[in-house]
Amino acid sequence: MDDKYETVVLKYTIHKYSSYSANYLPENIMVNDPPDQLSRWFTDSTTPSQFIMLKLETPAIVESIMFGKYIKAHVSDLKKFQIFGGTDKNNLSLLLTAGLKMDYTAETFKLRHRTSDGLYLPVKYIKIVPLQSWGPAYNYTIWYVELQGKNHEDLINSAMDTINLRKEEEAVRILLKHLRRRRYKDAFEALSRESGVQLEGAAQARLWQALVENGDYTLAEQIFDEAAEAGELDWYMSWQPYTPEWRQLCCCSPEVEDKLRCEAAPVSPSRRSHPELSCADGEPRPDVSLVNGAEAEGEEYDACGGCETRPGPRGGHQLVVDPSTGTLYLFGGWNGSEDLDDLWSYDTGTERWTLLCRHSEAVNGPSPRSCHKMVFDPVHEKLYTLGRYLDNARRVPSNMYSDLYVYDARAGEWALLCGDTAAAGGPRLVFDHQMCIDHSTQTIYVFGGRVLPANTEELASPQYSGLYAYYIARNTWQLLLADSHELPAPQARVSHSMLFHPVRSLCCRLHHTTYSTRGCTRTTSRATRGSCCWPTRTSCPRRRPASRTPCCSTRCAACVADSTTLHTVLGAVRVLHRAQHVAAAAGRLARAARAAGPRLALHAVPPGAQLVLPTPPHYIQYSGLYAYYIARNTWQLLLADSHELPAPQARVSHSMLFHPFQRRLYMFAGQRNKEQLVDLWWWDCESGTARALCAAPARAPPPQGFTHRATLDPDTDEIHVLSGMSKEKDKRVYNTLWVLSLRRMTWTCVYRNDSVSPSEPRPRFAHQLVYDPVRKIHYLFGGNPGVAGNPRLRLDDFWSLRLRRASVRRAADAARAALREARYRELCGTPQRAPRALHYLRHDLRAVTDLADPQQVEHFHKLATVLFAGSERAEGGARALSGRRVRALARRRAALRLRAHDGDMALALAAVLGADDSTLEPTEPFEESSSPTPDTWDVGTDEDDAPDSDEWDERSARMRLYDQLCQYFRPSAVPPAADVTDLVHL
């Protein structure tokens, strides 16, 4: 719903109710008084007809309903209920079916406030229908009800007008459907012309004419095939469920299998000195300080290291794919006793592992590490890795540098790109962050993650990393979004997912944000010698249009766009101004962001000067957005530091994915300060803008061992999320696979596994999952099986996953088979055409039967019996009216009316005479009928009218087939499912 309309508490009155007991009045639900046992509505019956109807003061968009409760659980609370709503109390729509928990905590439920096609649904009346209470055969209780939504006049007026127009359009379409089916051609054309409403699409209209009106099955097949080729079936196919197909490429090593057979219990939380500072990928991971102490005495652990032909078991590793060749690269991880620095490749063609480097540190590569991140550049065939987790004992100053390494797959060599990214304007040493690469612009995006604390003060106050961009060609970093902000952008986080959309230049994050890389004007406050603070060729006014070289040879704090305005640049975020902010004068737009230090004065730095930033203290203050007008020698505050603009928070354990077509980063989920974040953002990499696709209040931390891995398919605009967690009640680890459609914004669970099966991967967490968007294959390696007796055990099995979905060709084959079967049944209806029907069965119908499918073969054999069954008249087939049929109907009504109440008359007479004590229901008013006057052109009696020809029955069968084929098309391209005759109640 529009952000400019505030959600408020909606006022209502009690309009109607079914019953109440004693002093438990319906009006009691308007007062929230949990300690008062009398402050409730209590029915006097448990019959299904119990209800209470609320009337709002004004129509509103009701978004949620809150049920208050008594101070302790009560047996009369609603275990199951339904809520209806609408503007007409006699025509209400179902908004919710749910139930309350048997406790004392108030519960809030989201109500359906949009139609199926996304229109706002205004509501004037809310009807609550109790269905079941927690106590057996107990009356129903409602303690308190609060409604929340939007009731702004302009919004409601617009919604009411839109919904009324939509109802009128659908009503006309239902009438058009009826007129065409009954062959009222003139009325159909007149209504279609007057209203301007189209009943169906062009392809569907051709299909109707060929199939229903002309009975040309061959042409109907051709039209359907053309529609399939034109993409008319894509909507239907996108809603077909996925079927996961797992394939084991490499089983667990014998050492791991032996340990898995010995231990069956799931994991329990390990003891750590600082449980809030841990690597999610390595959980449960005991602190080195404990392992080296008394608790580790006598403990020995076999890491089950890998051999020369395959990588060993591990968690917290990284796995990436080269989409050009399908080659996989695996680096690092934690095997239960130490960090690893081995690098492997996997050829998906030969299905063999190759050891590229046993110890990368020995050949100028990165040190052993886990909880790092890695991306692959398919253009130059290079790997980039950043970040790592360090135990307490290893957090010494010499190890606290954040290094960036690159591996050249062609040359087979490691190289250090940056020994300390923080000193170069990049992130500090982080773990549980996310990385994505836009290979078309040679830009790496790093978002979120937990900054490893350098001292006890930082340990007490967690720090999270923001959103950074690393420009490979220039070897420079840029801060796009700081951790502390309140801008319309995602906040830094860890353990998240990030995806890049290459077409839209957007990065998306689960609990996510997208950032556009094209035309980005965001810059960092850290100036680098030999580079300008304007990152793109269009951002800096002094840069040549086609040049990508810096405009300044020395450090600078600002670039002057014209002679009257100083464009200040402090930080990394461009602010999109809203109405409540002061806007700069025309031609004087200032771009700015946060300062890197407290109260940093804004001054132009002359060429050749150095900008020295103070060391930020533990409590950092940030400066807002200012404009300095040189001609007037005046300052103007454009945007204060403290404001309330929506933006994502920095976090850990999140996901970030890059969509190469949309050119967006998608960011979602994650944790921050012992809270689980429930939000989804995108960040446009071109415009530098962000938007929250969904956001919910933060929740309690997820269960022990929760991790999720996300991938993105840019062709289908779908995000896949494979989560792993340990259930709190029975302490079992399980995996679920969810698919998010970015086109429809809907989630679908396609896979769940909480048991061990030979055909599926063992349940795990802290695993790695990558996706090959070219070959449409997922790859899963390693992870933590959650074994309580051996919490440091890691897996080394390797799996591939394909998500199968019914193809368009399969749907077209099913439609073709239905058309030919209907043609065959039509031929069987006439004995003279039986030989043709037999020939059609043997050749045409057999050609579309899959002889490898036993069900299709059995159905084909049964079709032979249709030859001997003869024609089948449609049951209750409707007929079009004519003058003759109308008069026949009037005569029937008159004749039947005379005998309609004979039975009632006998019962009434018995009651009058005292022979029956039963009470009769009052007679409903009815109109007396009389026979119509015959017209002069009527010939004969036409008592029952002439019977219809077989042609009308055949047409009715073809109409049913057309309705069956309509399921393959979009609802807006086919006639509505409703029938006008269903609205007639006799």
Side-chain angles (χ1 to χ4, degrees):
M1 188 163 294
D2 296 344
D3 295 334
K4 64 179 181 179
Y5 299 110
E6 180 184 3
T7 299
V8 297
V9 176
L10 303 174
K11 297 180 180 180
Y12 63 87
T13 58
I14 306 300
H15 178 69
K16 200 174 181 180
Y17 51 86
S18 56
S19 64
Y20 68 92
S21 297
N23 295 324
Y24 302 106
L25 302 176
E27 288 76 12
N28 291 341
I29 69 171
M30 302 174 66
V31 179
N32 189 16
D33 191 3
D36 186 2
Q37 192 173 8
L38 299 178
S39 181
R40 55 171 167 153
W41 171 59
F42 188 52
T43 66
D44 66 352
S45 173
T46 59
T47 59
S49 59
Q50 299 302 307
F51 72 92
I52 185 169
M53 184 177 292
L54 315 179
K55 182 179 180 180
L56 278 67
E57 286 189 350
T58 60
I61 309 298
V62 184
E63 299 174 323
S64 64
I65 182 172
M66 186 189 79
F67 288 92
K69 297 182 183 178
Y70 186 51
I71 55 176
K72 60 181 180 181
H74 202 281
V75 293
S76 63
D77 286 346
L78 303 183
K79 186 177 181 179
K80 187 177 181 181
F81 62 87
Q82 287 182 327
I83 297 180
F84 299 83
T87 55
D88 183 359
K89 62 182 178 182
N90 297 318
N91 185 19
L92 303 178
S93 302
L94 180 63
L95 305 182
L96 175 69
T97 299
L100 298 177
K101 300 176 183 177
M102 194 175 181
D103 56 19
Y104 56 86
T105 305
E107 295 186 57
T108 300
F109 299 89
K110 292 290 185 182
L111 298 180
R112 182 176 69 91
H113 56 274
R114 289 179 182 268
T115 64
S116 58
D117 45 0
L119 303 180
Y120 298 142
L121 187 63
V123 167
K124 178 69 173 180
Y125 298 92
I126 291 289
K127 183 179 181 181
I128 305 174
V129 180
L131 300 177
Q132 184 181 0
S133 62
W134 280 99
Y138 219 87
N139 295 0
Y140 308 118
T141 286
I142 295 180
W143 300 89
Y144 174 70
V145 171
E146 179 180 287
L147 303 175
Q148 291 192 351
K150 295 177 170 62
N151 59 358
H152 309 292
E153 183 178 0
D154 53 346
L155 173 64
I156 300 304
N157 291 339
S158 175
M160 293 287 290
D161 183 62
T162 302
I163 206 73
N164 289 333
L165 287 175
R166 181 66 184 91
K167 287 182 177 180
E168 184 68 17
E169 179 190 39
E170 193 67 9
V172 171
R173 295 182 72 231
I174 293 175
L175 289 174
L176 288 173
K177 171 186 174 181
H178 178 76
L179 295 175
R180 187 177 68 172
R181 295 170 83 92
R182 299 299 184 267
R183 283 182 170 172
Y184 300 128
K185 184 177 180 181
D186 293 340
F188 174 85
E189 294 178 350
L191 179 58
S192 180
R193 181 176 61 255
E194 289 292 330
S195 65
V197 175
Q198 296 296 324
L199 177 61
E200 58 196 354
Q204 290 73 23
R206 293 177 56 217
L207 182 62
W208 169 274
Q209 188 66 30
L211 175 61
V212 180
E213 301 298 345
N214 301 332
D216 191 339
Y217 290 89
T218 303
L219 180 58
E221 282 189 32
Q222 179 182 345
I223 294 173
F224 193 91
D225 288 340
E226 292 175 356
E229 292 294 333
E232 294 276 355
L233 274 62
D234 290 350
W235 176 87
Y236 170 80
M237 302 310 304
S238 67
W239 281 97
Q240 298 307 296
Y242 279 117
T243 301
E245 293 184 1
W246 290 99
R247 177 170 174 256
Q248 189 176 50
L249 302 176
C250 185
C251 62
C252 287
S253 60
E255 296 84 355
V256 175
E257 289 288 355
D258 292 341
K259 290 180 172 58
L260 291 174
R261 283 192 292 266
C262 295
E263 299 289 347
V267 69
S268 59
S270 58
R271 296 178 57 188
R272 294 183 299 272
S273 54
H274 295 287
E276 73 279 0
L277 180 63
S278 59
C279 174
D281 287 345
E283 287 290 344
R285 181 172 180 170
D287 199 296
V288 173
S289 60
L290 295 179
V291 174
N292 294 333
E295 293 187 8
E297 291 182 2
E299 180 181 359
E300 294 183 1
Y301 179 74
D302 181 8
C304 302
C307 61
E308 294 295 331
T309 59
R310 55 175 291 179
R314 65 194 69 200
H317 51 288
Q318 279 296 288
L319 185 70
V320 296
V321 60
D322 180 359
S324 301
T325 63
T327 304
L328 297 161
Y329 294 91
L330 183 147
F331 173 69
W334 190 69
N335 66 1
S337 62
E338 62 181 356
D339 286 330
L340 306 173
D341 62 342
D342 53 343
L343 178 64
W344 295 79
S345 68
Y346 181 82
D347 191 324
T348 55
T350 61
E351 297 186 353
R352 295 181 62 86
W353 285 101
T354 301
L355 179 62
L356 301 178
C357 184
R358 169 62 68 181
H359 295 290
S360 299
E361 187 177 24
V363 290
N364 301 322
S367 59
R369 60 192 60 200
S370 60
C371 301
H372 53 290
K373 288 298 178 286
M374 188 165 66
V375 294
F376 183 82
D377 177 13
V379 177
H380 301 93
E381 298 184 25
K382 292 183 178 181
L383 290 169
Y384 296 88
T385 181
L386 175 72
R388 64 188 184 278
Y389 177 78
L390 296 176
D391 294 315
N392 284 346
R394 299 170 58 193
R395 293 175 198 157
V396 296
S398 58
N399 290 337
M400 296 301 292
Y401 294 101
S402 175
D403 48 20
L404 175 64
Y405 280 88
V406 60
Y407 178 80
D408 191 328
R410 297 174 182 172
E413 297 177 350
W414 282 103
L416 177 65
L417 292 179
C418 183
D420 185 6
T421 57
R428 292 176 57 184
L429 182 58
V430 294
F431 65 94
D432 274 354
H433 51 293
Q434 286 295 327
M435 287 176 60
C436 293
I437 185 171
D438 180 3
H439 61 81
S440 62
T441 62
Q442 289 294 285
T443 304
I444 296 176
Y445 296 96
V446 182
F447 176 72
R450 179 75 179 273
V451 177
L452 270 177
N455 49 55
T456 56
E457 294 182 357
E458 291 187 353
L459 182 61
S461 179
Q463 297 187 19
Y464 299 87
S465 183
L467 176 62
Y468 290 85
Y470 174 71
Y471 305 104
I472 300 176
R474 302 202 304 263
N475 191 25
T476 57
W477 286 92
Q478 178 190 3
L479 175 62
L480 301 177
L481 187 64
D483 170 35
S484 299
H485 64 81
E486 296 177 357
L487 301 176
Q491 289 183 309
R493 59 195 73 188
V494 298
S495 303
H496 51 294
S497 295
M498 182 170 71
L499 307 166
F500 180 75
H501 199 309
V503 172
R504 300 186 188 175
S505 295
L506 298 174
C507 289
C508 295
R509 192 177 337 170
L510 184 46
H511 286 54
H512 77 282
T513 294
T514 51
Y515 179 81
S516 175
T517 54
R518 297 179 183 172
C520 172
T521 58
R522 305 194 177 199
T523 57
T524 68
S525 57
R526 185 188 299 274
T528 304
R529 181 178 299 274
S531 64
C532 175
C533 56
W534 295 93
T536 66
R537 59 188 176 189
T538 59
S539 302
C540 178
R542 292 164 51 188
R543 188 187 295 267
R544 294 186 299 272
S547 173
R548 295 189 63 87
T549 59
C551 66
C552 307
S553 59
T554 58
R555 299 183 181 181
C556 63
C559 293
V560 180
D562 54 48
S563 59
T564 59
T565 305
L566 173 63
H567 290 238
T568 62
V569 179
L570 295 174
V573 179
R574 183 184 63 176
V575 178
L576 300 180
H577 298 287
R578 298 197 176 191
Q580 65 267 31
H581 298 296
V582 180
R588 297 175 180 176
L589 176 63
R591 293 181 174 92
R594 306 194 178 277
R599 296 190 178 129
L600 178 64
L602 305 182
H603 297 287
V605 181
Q610 301 253 338
L611 176 63
V612 180
L613 301 180
T615 303
H618 299 300
Y619 300 97
I620 302 177
Q621 294 181 340
Y622 298 90
S623 179
L625 175 63
Y626 291 83
Y628 175 70
Y629 303 103
I630 301 176
R632 301 199 303 263
N633 190 25
T634 58
W635 286 93
Q636 179 186 11
L637 175 62
L638 301 179
L639 185 64
D641 172 43
S642 300
H643 54 81
E644 297 180 353
L645 298 179
Q649 293 179 308
R651 61 196 72 189
V652 297
S653 302
H654 54 294
S655 293
M656 181 169 72
L657 306 166
F658 179 73
H659 200 309
F661 302 148
Q662 299 177 359
R663 306 198 61 79
R664 289 180 175 178
L665 286 167
Y666 286 91
M667 316 167 193
F668 59 89
Q671 303 174 47
R672 179 184 175 93
N673 296 334
K674 300 183 180 180
E675 289 184 334
Q676 183 181 19
L677 302 178
V678 186
D679 56 355
L680 175 64
W681 293 79
W682 59 249
W683 177 275
D684 191 295
C685 298
E686 294 183 352
S687 64
T689 57
R691 177 189 172 191
L693 297 181
C694 70
R699 302 179 181 179
Q704 168 72 20
F706 174 80
T707 55
H708 64 260
R709 298 292 180 261
T711 63
L712 184 144
D713 189 336
D715 298 323
T716 61
D717 288 335
E718 291 179 336
I719 293 178
H720 315 109
V721 182
L722 180 64
S723 64
M725 66 177 69
S726 174
K727 295 185 67 175
E728 288 295 324
K729 293 183 178 180
D730 51 9
K731 299 297 182 182
R732 288 188 297 112
V733 177
Y734 67 95
N735 293 119
T736 56
L737 178 64
W738 292 81
V739 177
L740 167 65
S741 172
L742 296 175
R743 299 172 184 173
R744 296 190 296 264
M745 297 308 300
T746 56
W747 287 95
T748 305
C749 182
V750 299
Y751 171 76
R752 178 186 171 97
N753 179 25
D754 53 3
S755 61
V756 179
S757 172
S759 60
E760 297 175 348
R762 173 184 290 270
R764 67 195 66 198
F765 56 90
H767 45 276
Q768 282 300 318
L769 181 78
V770 297
Y771 182 63
D772 186 342
V774 177
R775 296 157 188 84
K776 309 299 181 185
I777 304 177
H778 281 91
Y779 295 96
L780 172 70
F781 182 87
N784 190 334
V787 177
N790 198 343
R792 303 167 70 186
L793 177 65
R794 297 297 182 268
L795 301 174
D796 58 353
D797 54 343
F798 189 37
W799 295 79
S800 67
L801 169 64
R802 285 184 181 270
L803 295 178
R804 300 286 189 182
R805 176 180 276 168
S807 64
V808 175
R809 179 48 38 191
R810 183 174 179 180
D813 291 342
R816 186 179 299 105
L819 285 166
R820 296 193 180 185
E821 180 178 339
R823 172 60 174 160
Y824 166 72
R825 291 181 179 274
E826 187 174 302
L827 292 174
C828 293
T830 304
Q832 294 81 357
R833 294 185 293 184
R836 292 178 54 193
L838 182 60
H839 182 273
Y840 193 85
L841 174 66
R842 290 177 174 177
H843 297 85
D844 300 76
L845 195 52
R846 185 178 185 277
V848 295
T849 301
D850 185 1
L851 300 181
D853 187 344
Q855 293 183 348
Q856 292 192 34
V857 173
E858 181 182 0
H859 180 69
F860 176 76
H861 291 161
K862 291 181 179 180
L863 288 177
T865 61
V866 179
L867 276 170
F868 310 100
S871 60
E872 297 181 0
R873 184 179 179 87
E875 296 183 1
R879 300 292 183 265
L881 290 177
S882 62
R884 187 183 184 89
R885 285 199 176 104
V886 170
R887 289 188 297 276
L889 174 61
R891 282 189 290 270
R892 295 178 189 178
R893 291 176 60 186
L896 294 174
R897 177 63 68 183
L898 295 175
R899 302 186 299 270
H901 298 282
D902 290 349
D904 296 339
M905 287 290 292
L907 292 175
L909 181 58
V912 170
L913 298 177
D916 191 348
D917 295 334
S918 61
T919 302
L920 298 178
E921 293 290 334
T923 303
E924 292 289 336
F926 63 89
E927 180 183 359
E928 298 82 0
S929 300
S930 59
S931 298
T933 303
D935 288 340
T936 56
W937 57 82
D938 286 342
V939 178
T941 60
D942 72 355
E943 182 64 25
D944 293 323
D945 197 4
D948 294 303
S949 64
D950 292 338
E951 189 275 335
W952 191 273
D953 290 333
E954 293 177 355
R955 183 175 182 274
S956 297
R958 294 197 295 268
M959 283 194 300
R960 292 193 296 271
L961 176 59
Y962 175 80
D963 293 338
Q964 178 183 344
L965 297 179
C966 284
Q967 66 174 319
Y968 296 107
F969 304 106
R970 291 180 176 272
S972 60
V974 297
D979 196 304
V980 68
T981 58
D982 296 335
L983 305 177
V984 180
H985 301 284
L986 301 176

